[in-house]
């Protein structure tokens, strides 16, 4: 296979775009996911507020609850993806802490790979649900339901990729994103 000059920098650039660079706070991709969560949350809040005020005056937006519900679905899955990146999901370290210190990163990598496998299976199964849901439309907004159910597949694959990255970092003994952020905060405080 012929290698093209500059292919390694391209791969490093794509990796840095998605997972971030050493010493940086967050990757561009994760910041975009966080902004999407924020926009969806503001949209959901504003729509529900307007719907509540409108009901006081005897009015109702027939699409408001549906938009709020679908926004919430995407917020949950996008937020879960960001939580996987930053290591914010709840974990129980009792049994891992019983292991010798040198084995703990490998156990963490094994757990991350197991999580990637489970969420990968869920995301893969979600493809079928997505295809079927694209044939149906929502009742009020009349958008394809696949756009809603697609959150499971899209974010599931992203979570699996982030878990695999975490496993690789743990196995190689490199700092995880949350460890780098803590280090950056310490340096900023000094």
């Amino acid at each position: 296979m012929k290698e093209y000059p500059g292919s390694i920098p391209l791969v490093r650039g794509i990796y840095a775009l998605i997972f971030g660079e050493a010493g940086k706070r967050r990757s561009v991709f994760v910041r975009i996911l966080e902004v999407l969560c924020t926009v969806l949350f503001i949209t959901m809040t504003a729509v529900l507020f307007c719907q509540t005020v409108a009901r006081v005056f005897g009015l109702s937006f027939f699409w408001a609850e549906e938009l709020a519900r679908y926004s919430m679905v995407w917020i949950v899955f996008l937020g879960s993806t960001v939580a996987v990146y930053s290591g914010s999901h709840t974990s129980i370290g009792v049994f891992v802490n019983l292991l010798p210190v040198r084995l703990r990163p490998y156990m963490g990598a094994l757990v991350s790979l197991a999580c990637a496998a489970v969420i990968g299976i869920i995301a893969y199964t979600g493809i079928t649900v997505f295809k079927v849901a694209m044939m149906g439309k929502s009742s009020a907004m009349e958008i394809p339901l696949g756009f809603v159910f697609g959150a499971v597949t899209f974010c599931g694959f992203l979570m699996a990729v982030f878990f695999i990255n975490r496993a690789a970092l743990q196995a190689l003994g490199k700092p995880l994103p949350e460890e780098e952020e803590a280090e950056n905060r310490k340096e900023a405080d000094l």
Side-chain angles (χ1 to χ4, degrees):
M1 178 173 9
K2 183 177 178 183
E3 289 204 15
Y4 296 98
S7 63
I8 296 299
L10 176 65
V11 170
R12 285 187 188 140
I14 292 170
Y15 181 87
L17 181 72
I18 296 171
F19 300 108
E21 295 180 63
K24 299 265 179 152
R25 290 183 57 89
R26 291 248 194 230
S27 74
V28 172
F29 186 70
V30 172
R31 281 192 239 144
I32 290 170
L33 294 178
E34 291 171 336
V35 167
L36 280 173
C37 285
T38 304
V39 168
L40 287 169
F41 183 76
I42 290 169
T43 300
M44 181 180 69
T45 304
V47 165
L48 289 177
F49 177 77
C50 291
Q51 175 73 341
T52 303
V53 171
R55 284 188 178 170
V56 170
F57 299 107
L59 303 170
S60 180
F61 305 117
F62 64 94
W63 47 267
E65 284 91 7
E66 196 170 274
L67 178 61
R69 186 172 39 249
Y70 297 161
S71 295
M72 184 62 159
V73 168
W74 274 95
I75 289 169
V76 166
F77 283 99
L78 289 171
S80 293
T81 304
V82 172
V84 168
Y85 171 82
S86 62
S88 299
H89 281 291
T90 303
S91 63
I92 301 171
V94 172
F95 297 111
V96 174
N97 292 337
L98 294 174
L99 294 172
V101 174
R102 69 186 195 314
L103 293 179
R104 290 179 191 170
Y106 300 111
M107 181 54 76
L110 186 63
V111 168
S112 292
L113 286 175
C115 289
V118 169
I119 197 68
I121 291 168
I122 292 169
Y124 181 75
T125 308
I127 293 172
T128 305
V129 175
F130 172 76
K131 288 178 183 177
V132 171
M134 283 303 284
M135 292 186 268
K137 293 193 178 228
S138 67
S139 58
M141 296 189 319
E142 296 186 9
I143 60 169
L145 287 171
F147 292 142
V148 179
F149 292 109
V152 174
T153 302
F154 177 72
C155 294
F157 280 124
L158 286 178
M159 283 188 257
V161 167
F162 283 155
F163 272 126
I164 291 168
N165 183 60
R166 290 181 70 77
L169 291 174
Q170 289 167 320
L172 295 172
K174 299 200 175 189
L176 295 171
E178 64 270 17
E179 295 167 346
E180 285 186 351
E181 285 184 23
E183 187 65 34
N184 289 342
R185 271 187 254 122
K186 282 182 188 175
E187 288 175 7
D189 290 342
L190 295 177

